[in-house]
Amino acid sequence: MRTAPQVFVMRLRSVEALQPAKGGYSLRGRIEIVERLRGDAQVVTIRYSGNPQCCGLRLDPGHYYLVAADTARPELQVGHTDLLYLGWDYPGDAKALARLRATVAGRAGLDPRWWQGGERMHQVSPPPCPRRR
């Protein structure tokens, strides 16, 4: 987070399942960049794994996440090390926002609420069973 050229807060707008991948499934989420903390990212969609057995992520539409990335492409592949869960009510108050900016700049530690939020992203439920024909 402190060295990534692109750091921004995003809100996940929607998620769709892509063609099942070997050993899991891939998801694509449409996002809205709420605030750019570093860089000029123009990301519109993210891709990530939803595989509950192997490093899958649980990202919920309507919730906010901090993204630290090396690139600013329109579609970004993300994983556990790129995201920080901020919650469903992005810290709009001035004090919380100042703390987030100071954390990204390396002048403050991570707010414990955000640190614990990572556990939520690891609670991936299995995909739905295929429909019988």
Side-chain angles (χ1 to χ4, degrees):
M1 178 188 334
R2 292 182 177 157
T3 61
Q6 304 293 328
V7 181
F8 58 91
V9 175
M10 68 164 212
R11 184 174 192 194
L12 186 61
R13 289 303 199 176
S14 64
V15 176
E16 67 177 321
L18 301 174
Q19 193 70 11
K22 184 177 179 181
Y25 60 101
S26 184
L27 302 168
R28 179 181 346 186
R30 298 204 55 74
I31 70 163
E32 167 192 0
I33 295 179
V34 175
E35 187 153 1
R36 288 175 183 81
L37 301 171
R38 185 179 311 126
D40 58 354
Q42 300 298 316
V43 180
V44 177
T45 59
I46 58 171
R47 282 187 186 231
Y48 59 97
S49 171
N51 185 342
Q53 286 82 31
C54 182
C55 304
L57 289 173
R58 171 188 172 179
L59 303 182
D60 297 313
H63 291 235
Y64 295 87
Y65 302 85
L66 181 78
V67 179
D70 291 329
T71 182
R73 289 185 293 238
E75 183 164 277
L76 187 62
Q77 181 80 33
V78 296
H80 293 286
T81 59
D82 308 312
L83 298 171
L84 180 65
Y85 177 69
L86 297 178
W88 62 270
D89 57 345
Y90 172 64
D93 66 274
K95 187 176 180 180
L97 193 52
R99 172 98 186 240
L100 182 59
R101 287 183 182 281
T103 301
V104 170
R107 296 187 312 269
L110 200 58
D111 185 307
R113 291 173 297 159
W114 299 330
W115 191 248
Q116 295 164 354
E119 294 175 17
R120 177 186 177 84
M121 291 192 317
H122 298 286
Q123 298 171 358
V124 181
S125 57
C129 294
R131 286 189 234 159
R132 294 182 181 225
R133 292 183 185 197

PDB file of all heavy atoms in Angstrom, residues 1 64 66 83-87 89-91 95-101 103 109-119:
ATOM      1  N   MET A   1       0.826  -1.197   0.000  1.00  0.00           N
ATOM      2  CA  MET A   1       0.000   0.000   0.000  1.00  0.00           C
ATOM      3  C   MET A   1       0.867   1.256   0.000  1.00  0.00           C
ATOM      4  O   MET A   1       0.515   2.229  -0.630  1.00  0.00           O
ATOM      5  CB  MET A   1      -0.897  -0.019   1.240  1.00  0.00           C
ATOM      6  CG  MET A   1      -1.756   1.187   1.361  1.00  0.00           C
ATOM      7  SD  MET A   1      -2.696   1.362   2.894  1.00  0.00           S
ATOM      8  CE  MET A   1      -2.927  -0.247   3.483  1.00  0.00           C
ATOM      9  N   TYR A  64     -17.069  -1.190   0.134  1.00  0.00           N
ATOM     10  CA  TYR A  64     -15.917  -0.392  -0.267  1.00  0.00           C
ATOM     11  C   TYR A  64     -14.614  -1.131   0.046  1.00  0.00           C
ATOM     12  O   TYR A  64     -14.500  -1.796   1.077  1.00  0.00           O
ATOM     13  CB  TYR A  64     -15.914   0.948   0.457  1.00  0.00           C
ATOM     14  CG  TYR A  64     -17.082   1.819   0.084  1.00  0.00           C
ATOM     15  CD1 TYR A  64     -18.288   1.713   0.757  1.00  0.00           C
ATOM     16  CD2 TYR A  64     -16.973   2.741  -0.955  1.00  0.00           C
ATOM     17  CE1 TYR A  64     -19.371   2.511   0.414  1.00  0.00           C
ATOM     18  CE2 TYR A  64     -18.046   3.542  -1.300  1.00  0.00           C
ATOM     19  CZ  TYR A  64     -19.245   3.421  -0.616  1.00  0.00           C
ATOM     20  OH  TYR A  64     -20.301   4.198  -0.958  1.00  0.00           O
ATOM     21  N   LEU A  66     -10.111  -0.737  -0.442  1.00  0.00           N
ATOM     22  CA  LEU A  66      -8.917   0.003  -0.836  1.00  0.00           C
ATOM     23  C   LEU A  66      -8.124  -0.917  -1.757  1.00  0.00           C
ATOM     24  O   LEU A  66      -7.916  -2.082  -1.438  1.00  0.00           O
ATOM     25  CB  LEU A  66      -8.078   0.366   0.388  1.00  0.00           C
ATOM     26  CG  LEU A  66      -6.815   1.154   0.080  1.00  0.00           C
ATOM     27  CD1 LEU A  66      -7.168   2.614  -0.173  1.00  0.00           C
ATOM     28  CD2 LEU A  66      -5.832   1.050   1.223  1.00  0.00           C
ATOM     29  N   LEU A  83      -5.994  -5.834  -1.909  1.00  0.00           N
ATOM     30  CA  LEU A  83      -7.231  -5.256  -1.395  1.00  0.00           C
ATOM     31  C   LEU A  83      -7.247  -5.146   0.117  1.00  0.00           C
ATOM     32  O   LEU A  83      -6.662  -5.975   0.822  1.00  0.00           O
ATOM     33  CB  LEU A  83      -8.425  -6.131  -1.792  1.00  0.00           C
ATOM     34  CG  LEU A  83      -8.704  -6.296  -3.276  1.00  0.00           C
ATOM     35  CD1 LEU A  83      -9.775  -7.350  -3.471  1.00  0.00           C
ATOM     36  CD2 LEU A  83      -9.139  -4.984  -3.878  1.00  0.00           C
ATOM     37  N   LEU A  84      -7.967  -4.133   0.574  1.00  0.00           N
ATOM     38  CA  LEU A  84      -8.241  -3.968   1.992  1.00  0.00           C
ATOM     39  C   LEU A  84      -9.726  -3.635   2.111  1.00  0.00           C
ATOM     40  O   LEU A  84     -10.215  -2.703   1.467  1.00  0.00           O
ATOM     41  CB  LEU A  84      -7.394  -2.830   2.567  1.00  0.00           C
ATOM     42  CG  LEU A  84      -7.567  -2.539   4.042  1.00  0.00           C
ATOM     43  CD1 LEU A  84      -7.093  -3.717   4.882  1.00  0.00           C
ATOM     44  CD2 LEU A  84      -6.793  -1.285   4.409  1.00  0.00           C
ATOM     45  N   TYR A  85     -10.435  -4.412   2.906  1.00  0.00           N
ATOM     46  CA  TYR A  85     -11.875  -4.208   3.081  1.00  0.00           C
ATOM     47  C   TYR A  85     -12.116  -3.008   3.983  1.00  0.00           C
ATOM     48  O   TYR A  85     -11.621  -2.953   5.105  1.00  0.00           O
ATOM     49  CB  TYR A  85     -12.502  -5.469   3.682  1.00  0.00           C
ATOM     50  CG  TYR A  85     -13.972  -5.350   3.961  1.00  0.00           C
ATOM     51  CD1 TYR A  85     -14.885  -5.260   2.919  1.00  0.00           C
ATOM     52  CD2 TYR A  85     -14.456  -5.329   5.256  1.00  0.00           C
ATOM     53  CE1 TYR A  85     -16.239  -5.165   3.168  1.00  0.00           C
ATOM     54  CE2 TYR A  85     -15.805  -5.230   5.523  1.00  0.00           C
ATOM     55  CZ  TYR A  85     -16.695  -5.143   4.469  1.00  0.00           C
ATOM     56  OH  TYR A  85     -18.043  -5.041   4.714  1.00  0.00           O
ATOM     57  N   LEU A  86     -12.883  -2.033   3.500  1.00  0.00           N
ATOM     58  CA  LEU A  86     -13.184  -0.833   4.278  1.00  0.00           C
ATOM     59  C   LEU A  86     -14.588  -0.839   4.866  1.00  0.00           C
ATOM     60  O   LEU A  86     -14.903  -0.014   5.712  1.00  0.00           O
ATOM     61  CB  LEU A  86     -12.998   0.420   3.416  1.00  0.00           C
ATOM     62  CG  LEU A  86     -11.586   0.677   2.899  1.00  0.00           C
ATOM     63  CD1 LEU A  86     -11.563   1.916   2.029  1.00  0.00           C
ATOM     64  CD2 LEU A  86     -10.590   0.794   4.044  1.00  0.00           C
ATOM     65  N   GLY A  87     -15.450  -1.725   4.395  1.00  0.00           N
ATOM     66  CA  GLY A  87     -16.795  -1.813   4.948  1.00  0.00           C
ATOM     67  C   GLY A  87     -17.870  -1.360   3.975  1.00  0.00           C
ATOM     68  O   GLY A  87     -17.608  -0.986   2.847  1.00  0.00           O
ATOM     69  N   ASP A  89     -19.916   1.128   4.714  1.00  0.00           N
ATOM     70  CA  ASP A  89     -20.096   2.573   4.868  1.00  0.00           C
ATOM     71  C   ASP A  89     -18.722   3.239   4.839  1.00  0.00           C
ATOM     72  O   ASP A  89     -18.101   3.446   5.857  1.00  0.00           O
ATOM     73  CB  ASP A  89     -20.848   2.904   6.154  1.00  0.00           C
ATOM     74  CG  ASP A  89     -20.167   2.350   7.392  1.00  0.00           C
ATOM     75  OD1 ASP A  89     -19.281   1.487   7.250  1.00  0.00           O
ATOM     76  OD2 ASP A  89     -20.516   2.779   8.501  1.00  0.00           O
ATOM     77  N   TYR A  90     -18.271   3.516   3.656  1.00  0.00           N
ATOM     78  CA  TYR A  90     -16.948   4.100   3.466  1.00  0.00           C
ATOM     79  C   TYR A  90     -16.735   5.262   4.426  1.00  0.00           C
ATOM     80  O   TYR A  90     -17.634   6.076   4.623  1.00  0.00           O
ATOM     81  CB  TYR A  90     -16.791   4.560   2.010  1.00  0.00           C
ATOM     82  CG  TYR A  90     -15.538   5.343   1.751  1.00  0.00           C
ATOM     83  CD1 TYR A  90     -14.292   4.760   1.902  1.00  0.00           C
ATOM     84  CD2 TYR A  90     -15.608   6.668   1.354  1.00  0.00           C
ATOM     85  CE1 TYR A  90     -13.143   5.482   1.666  1.00  0.00           C
ATOM     86  CE2 TYR A  90     -14.455   7.386   1.104  1.00  0.00           C
ATOM     87  CZ  TYR A  90     -13.232   6.794   1.267  1.00  0.00           C
ATOM     88  OH  TYR A  90     -12.088   7.499   1.039  1.00  0.00           O
ATOM     89  N   PRO A  91     -15.556   5.340   5.034  1.00  0.00           N
ATOM     90  CA  PRO A  91     -15.315   6.379   6.051  1.00  0.00           C
ATOM     91  C   PRO A  91     -15.340   7.775   5.459  1.00  0.00           C
ATOM     92  O   PRO A  91     -14.312   8.324   5.096  1.00  0.00           O
ATOM     93  CB  PRO A  91     -13.934   6.018   6.598  1.00  0.00           C
ATOM     94  CG  PRO A  91     -13.286   5.258   5.498  1.00  0.00           C
ATOM     95  CD  PRO A  91     -14.394   4.530   4.791  1.00  0.00           C
ATOM     96  N   LYS A  95     -12.046  12.658   9.948  1.00  0.00           N
ATOM     97  CA  LYS A  95     -11.030  12.022  10.774  1.00  0.00           C
ATOM     98  C   LYS A  95     -10.613  10.661  10.195  1.00  0.00           C
ATOM     99  O   LYS A  95      -9.424  10.365  10.098  1.00  0.00           O
ATOM    100  CB  LYS A  95     -11.561  11.861  12.195  1.00  0.00           C
ATOM    101  CG  LYS A  95     -10.530  11.362  13.170  1.00  0.00           C
ATOM    102  CD  LYS A  95     -11.098  11.323  14.577  1.00  0.00           C
ATOM    103  CE  LYS A  95     -10.063  10.822  15.567  1.00  0.00           C
ATOM    104  NZ  LYS A  95     -10.598  10.772  16.923  1.00  0.00           N
ATOM    105  N   ALA A  96     -11.582   9.849   9.815  1.00  0.00           N
ATOM    106  CA  ALA A  96     -11.274   8.530   9.251  1.00  0.00           C
ATOM    107  C   ALA A  96     -10.568   8.665   7.906  1.00  0.00           C
ATOM    108  O   ALA A  96      -9.641   7.909   7.603  1.00  0.00           O
ATOM    109  CB  ALA A  96     -12.553   7.715   9.100  1.00  0.00           C
ATOM    110  N   LEU A  97     -10.988   9.616   7.113  1.00  0.00           N
ATOM    111  CA  LEU A  97     -10.361   9.832   5.813  1.00  0.00           C
ATOM    112  C   LEU A  97      -8.915  10.318   5.970  1.00  0.00           C
ATOM    113  O   LEU A  97      -8.021   9.864   5.251  1.00  0.00           O
ATOM    114  CB  LEU A  97     -11.175  10.838   4.998  1.00  0.00           C
ATOM    115  CG  LEU A  97     -10.843  10.959   3.524  1.00  0.00           C
ATOM    116  CD1 LEU A  97     -10.852   9.602   2.834  1.00  0.00           C
ATOM    117  CD2 LEU A  97     -11.831  11.886   2.849  1.00  0.00           C
ATOM    118  N   ALA A  98      -8.677  11.182   6.948  1.00  0.00           N
ATOM    119  CA  ALA A  98      -7.312  11.651   7.219  1.00  0.00           C
ATOM    120  C   ALA A  98      -6.434  10.488   7.668  1.00  0.00           C
ATOM    121  O   ALA A  98      -5.267  10.384   7.272  1.00  0.00           O
ATOM    122  CB  ALA A  98      -7.335  12.747   8.277  1.00  0.00           C
ATOM    123  N   ARG A  99      -6.992   9.584   8.476  1.00  0.00           N
ATOM    124  CA  ARG A  99      -6.233   8.409   8.927  1.00  0.00           C
ATOM    125  C   ARG A  99      -5.892   7.508   7.749  1.00  0.00           C
ATOM    126  O   ARG A  99      -4.783   6.991   7.653  1.00  0.00           O
ATOM    127  CB  ARG A  99      -7.053   7.650   9.971  1.00  0.00           C
ATOM    128  CG  ARG A  99      -6.481   6.314  10.378  1.00  0.00           C
ATOM    129  CD  ARG A  99      -5.708   6.418  11.678  1.00  0.00           C
ATOM    130  NE  ARG A  99      -5.035   5.187  12.011  1.00  0.00           N
ATOM    131  CZ  ARG A  99      -5.262   4.497  13.117  1.00  0.00           C
ATOM    132  NH1 ARG A  99      -6.155   4.910  13.974  1.00  0.00           N
ATOM    133  NH2 ARG A  99      -4.590   3.412  13.357  1.00  0.00           N
ATOM    134  N   LEU A 100      -6.841   7.328   6.842  1.00  0.00           N
ATOM    135  CA  LEU A 100      -6.595   6.497   5.659  1.00  0.00           C
ATOM    136  C   LEU A 100      -5.494   7.109   4.796  1.00  0.00           C
ATOM    137  O   LEU A 100      -4.574   6.416   4.366  1.00  0.00           O
ATOM    138  CB  LEU A 100      -7.881   6.332   4.852  1.00  0.00           C
ATOM    139  CG  LEU A 100      -7.801   5.460   3.609  1.00  0.00           C
ATOM    140  CD1 LEU A 100      -7.346   4.046   3.957  1.00  0.00           C
ATOM    141  CD2 LEU A 100      -9.149   5.421   2.914  1.00  0.00           C
ATOM    142  N   ARG A 101      -5.547   8.402   4.575  1.00  0.00           N
ATOM    143  CA  ARG A 101      -4.512   9.086   3.787  1.00  0.00           C
ATOM    144  C   ARG A 101      -3.140   8.981   4.467  1.00  0.00           C
ATOM    145  O   ARG A 101      -2.132   8.748   3.816  1.00  0.00           O
ATOM    146  CB  ARG A 101      -4.877  10.547   3.576  1.00  0.00           C
ATOM    147  CG  ARG A 101      -5.999  10.757   2.597  1.00  0.00           C
ATOM    148  CD  ARG A 101      -6.244  12.248   2.392  1.00  0.00           C
ATOM    149  NE  ARG A 101      -7.341  12.484   1.504  1.00  0.00           N
ATOM    150  CZ  ARG A 101      -7.272  12.404   0.181  1.00  0.00           C
ATOM    151  NH1 ARG A 101      -6.154  12.079  -0.399  1.00  0.00           N
ATOM    152  NH2 ARG A 101      -8.334  12.632  -0.563  1.00  0.00           N
ATOM    153  N   THR A 103      -2.169   6.626   6.488  1.00  0.00           N
ATOM    154  CA  THR A 103      -1.739   5.232   6.396  1.00  0.00           C
ATOM    155  C   THR A 103      -1.118   4.955   5.037  1.00  0.00           C
ATOM    156  O   THR A 103      -0.049   4.349   4.938  1.00  0.00           O
ATOM    157  CB  THR A 103      -2.925   4.281   6.638  1.00  0.00           C
ATOM    158  OG1 THR A 103      -3.471   4.542   7.933  1.00  0.00           O
ATOM    159  CG2 THR A 103      -2.503   2.834   6.553  1.00  0.00           C
ATOM    160  N   GLY A 109      -0.473   3.974  11.348  1.00  0.00           N
ATOM    161  CA  GLY A 109      -0.759   2.544  11.252  1.00  0.00           C
ATOM    162  C   GLY A 109      -2.170   2.327  10.732  1.00  0.00           C
ATOM    163  O   GLY A 109      -2.982   3.247  10.666  1.00  0.00           O
ATOM    164  N   LEU A 110      -2.440   1.102  10.389  1.00  0.00           N
ATOM    165  CA  LEU A 110      -3.741   0.726   9.849  1.00  0.00           C
ATOM    166  C   LEU A 110      -4.793   0.712  10.950  1.00  0.00           C
ATOM    167  O   LEU A 110      -4.538   0.209  12.050  1.00  0.00           O
ATOM    168  CB  LEU A 110      -3.612  -0.652   9.229  1.00  0.00           C
ATOM    169  CG  LEU A 110      -4.640  -1.086   8.216  1.00  0.00           C
ATOM    170  CD1 LEU A 110      -4.689  -0.117   7.039  1.00  0.00           C
ATOM    171  CD2 LEU A 110      -4.296  -2.469   7.716  1.00  0.00           C
ATOM    172  N   ASP A 111      -5.938   1.267  10.682  1.00  0.00           N
ATOM    173  CA  ASP A 111      -7.050   1.240  11.624  1.00  0.00           C
ATOM    174  C   ASP A 111      -7.419  -0.224  11.884  1.00  0.00           C
ATOM    175  O   ASP A 111      -7.594  -0.992  10.941  1.00  0.00           O
ATOM    176  CB  ASP A 111      -8.241   1.993  11.014  1.00  0.00           C
ATOM    177  CG  ASP A 111      -9.398   2.132  11.973  1.00  0.00           C
ATOM    178  OD1 ASP A 111      -9.844   1.105  12.530  1.00  0.00           O
ATOM    179  OD2 ASP A 111      -9.887   3.262  12.153  1.00  0.00           O
ATOM    180  N   PRO A 112      -7.545  -0.633  13.148  1.00  0.00           N
ATOM    181  CA  PRO A 112      -7.831  -2.043  13.462  1.00  0.00           C
ATOM    182  C   PRO A 112      -9.103  -2.573  12.797  1.00  0.00           C
ATOM    183  O   PRO A 112      -9.181  -3.742  12.443  1.00  0.00           O
ATOM    184  CB  PRO A 112      -7.977  -2.056  14.986  1.00  0.00           C
ATOM    185  CG  PRO A 112      -7.245  -0.861  15.452  1.00  0.00           C
ATOM    186  CD  PRO A 112      -7.343   0.155  14.357  1.00  0.00           C
ATOM    187  N   ARG A 113     -10.112  -1.741  12.599  1.00  0.00           N
ATOM    188  CA  ARG A 113     -11.343  -2.195  11.937  1.00  0.00           C
ATOM    189  C   ARG A 113     -11.052  -2.660  10.517  1.00  0.00           C
ATOM    190  O   ARG A 113     -11.620  -3.626  10.039  1.00  0.00           O
ATOM    191  CB  ARG A 113     -12.391  -1.084  11.902  1.00  0.00           C
ATOM    192  CG  ARG A 113     -12.951  -0.737  13.254  1.00  0.00           C
ATOM    193  CD  ARG A 113     -13.844   0.467  13.139  1.00  0.00           C
ATOM    194  NE  ARG A 113     -13.014   1.603  12.700  1.00  0.00           N
ATOM    195  CZ  ARG A 113     -13.486   2.698  12.126  1.00  0.00           C
ATOM    196  NH1 ARG A 113     -14.763   2.821  11.902  1.00  0.00           N
ATOM    197  NH2 ARG A 113     -12.684   3.680  11.784  1.00  0.00           N
ATOM    198  N   TRP A 114     -10.172  -1.949   9.821  1.00  0.00           N
ATOM    199  CA  TRP A 114      -9.846  -2.319   8.448  1.00  0.00           C
ATOM    200  C   TRP A 114      -8.952  -3.547   8.426  1.00  0.00           C
ATOM    201  O   TRP A 114      -9.033  -4.373   7.548  1.00  0.00           O
ATOM    202  CB  TRP A 114      -9.200  -1.157   7.720  1.00  0.00           C
ATOM    203  CG  TRP A 114     -10.095   0.039   7.645  1.00  0.00           C
ATOM    204  CD1 TRP A 114     -11.459   0.039   7.607  1.00  0.00           C
ATOM    205  CD2 TRP A 114      -9.697   1.395   7.614  1.00  0.00           C
ATOM    206  NE1 TRP A 114     -11.931   1.319   7.557  1.00  0.00           N
ATOM    207  CE2 TRP A 114     -10.864   2.183   7.560  1.00  0.00           C
ATOM    208  CE3 TRP A 114      -8.464   2.031   7.634  1.00  0.00           C
ATOM    209  CZ2 TRP A 114     -10.841   3.552   7.514  1.00  0.00           C
ATOM    210  CZ3 TRP A 114      -8.436   3.404   7.589  1.00  0.00           C
ATOM    211  CH2 TRP A 114      -9.613   4.154   7.532  1.00  0.00           C
ATOM    212  N   TRP A 115      -8.070  -3.653   9.406  1.00  0.00           N
ATOM    213  CA  TRP A 115      -7.175  -4.806   9.493  1.00  0.00           C
ATOM    214  C   TRP A 115      -7.988  -6.086   9.662  1.00  0.00           C
ATOM    215  O   TRP A 115      -7.722  -7.106   9.045  1.00  0.00           O
ATOM    216  CB  TRP A 115      -6.231  -4.597  10.668  1.00  0.00           C
ATOM    217  CG  TRP A 115      -5.091  -5.552  10.728  1.00  0.00           C
ATOM    218  CD1 TRP A 115      -4.907  -6.512  11.667  1.00  0.00           C
ATOM    219  CD2 TRP A 115      -3.983  -5.631   9.858  1.00  0.00           C
ATOM    220  NE1 TRP A 115      -3.742  -7.186  11.419  1.00  0.00           N
ATOM    221  CE2 TRP A 115      -3.158  -6.664  10.311  1.00  0.00           C
ATOM    222  CE3 TRP A 115      -3.602  -4.929   8.719  1.00  0.00           C
ATOM    223  CZ2 TRP A 115      -1.976  -7.019   9.681  1.00  0.00           C
ATOM    224  CZ3 TRP A 115      -2.424  -5.283   8.090  1.00  0.00           C
ATOM    225  CH2 TRP A 115      -1.634  -6.305   8.566  1.00  0.00           C
ATOM    226  N   GLN A 116      -9.007  -6.039  10.524  1.00  0.00           N
ATOM    227  CA  GLN A 116      -9.845  -7.206  10.790  1.00  0.00           C
ATOM    228  C   GLN A 116     -10.786  -7.506   9.634  1.00  0.00           C
ATOM    229  O   GLN A 116     -11.260  -8.626   9.501  1.00  0.00           O
ATOM    230  CB  GLN A 116     -10.646  -6.995  12.063  1.00  0.00           C
ATOM    231  CG  GLN A 116      -9.770  -6.905  13.297  1.00  0.00           C
ATOM    232  CD  GLN A 116     -10.494  -6.316  14.494  1.00  0.00           C
ATOM    233  OE1 GLN A 116     -11.625  -5.861  14.375  1.00  0.00           O
ATOM    234  NE2 GLN A 116      -9.836  -6.303  15.627  1.00  0.00           N
ATOM    235  N   GLY A 117     -11.042  -6.530   8.795  1.00  0.00           N
ATOM    236  CA  GLY A 117     -11.952  -6.731   7.671  1.00  0.00           C
ATOM    237  C   GLY A 117     -11.454  -7.755   6.671  1.00  0.00           C
ATOM    238  O   GLY A 117     -12.239  -8.327   5.923  1.00  0.00           O
ATOM    239  N   GLY A 118     -10.150  -8.023   6.651  1.00  0.00           N
ATOM    240  CA  GLY A 118      -9.606  -9.012   5.737  1.00  0.00           C
ATOM    241  C   GLY A 118     -10.183 -10.396   5.960  1.00  0.00           C
ATOM    242  O   GLY A 118     -10.302 -11.184   5.034  1.00  0.00           O
ATOM    243  N   GLU A 119     -10.569 -10.699   7.204  1.00  0.00           N
ATOM    244  CA  GLU A 119     -11.167 -11.997   7.499  1.00  0.00           C
ATOM    245  C   GLU A 119     -12.455 -12.189   6.721  1.00  0.00           C
ATOM    246  O   GLU A 119     -12.753 -13.279   6.273  1.00  0.00           O
ATOM    247  CB  GLU A 119     -11.434 -12.117   8.997  1.00  0.00           C
ATOM    248  CG  GLU A 119     -10.165 -12.149   9.828  1.00  0.00           C
ATOM    249  CD  GLU A 119     -10.456 -12.146  11.314  1.00  0.00           C
ATOM    250  OE1 GLU A 119     -11.597 -12.443  11.710  1.00  0.00           O
ATOM    251  OE2 GLU A 119      -9.529 -11.842  12.073  1.00  0.00           O
TER     252      GLU A 119
END
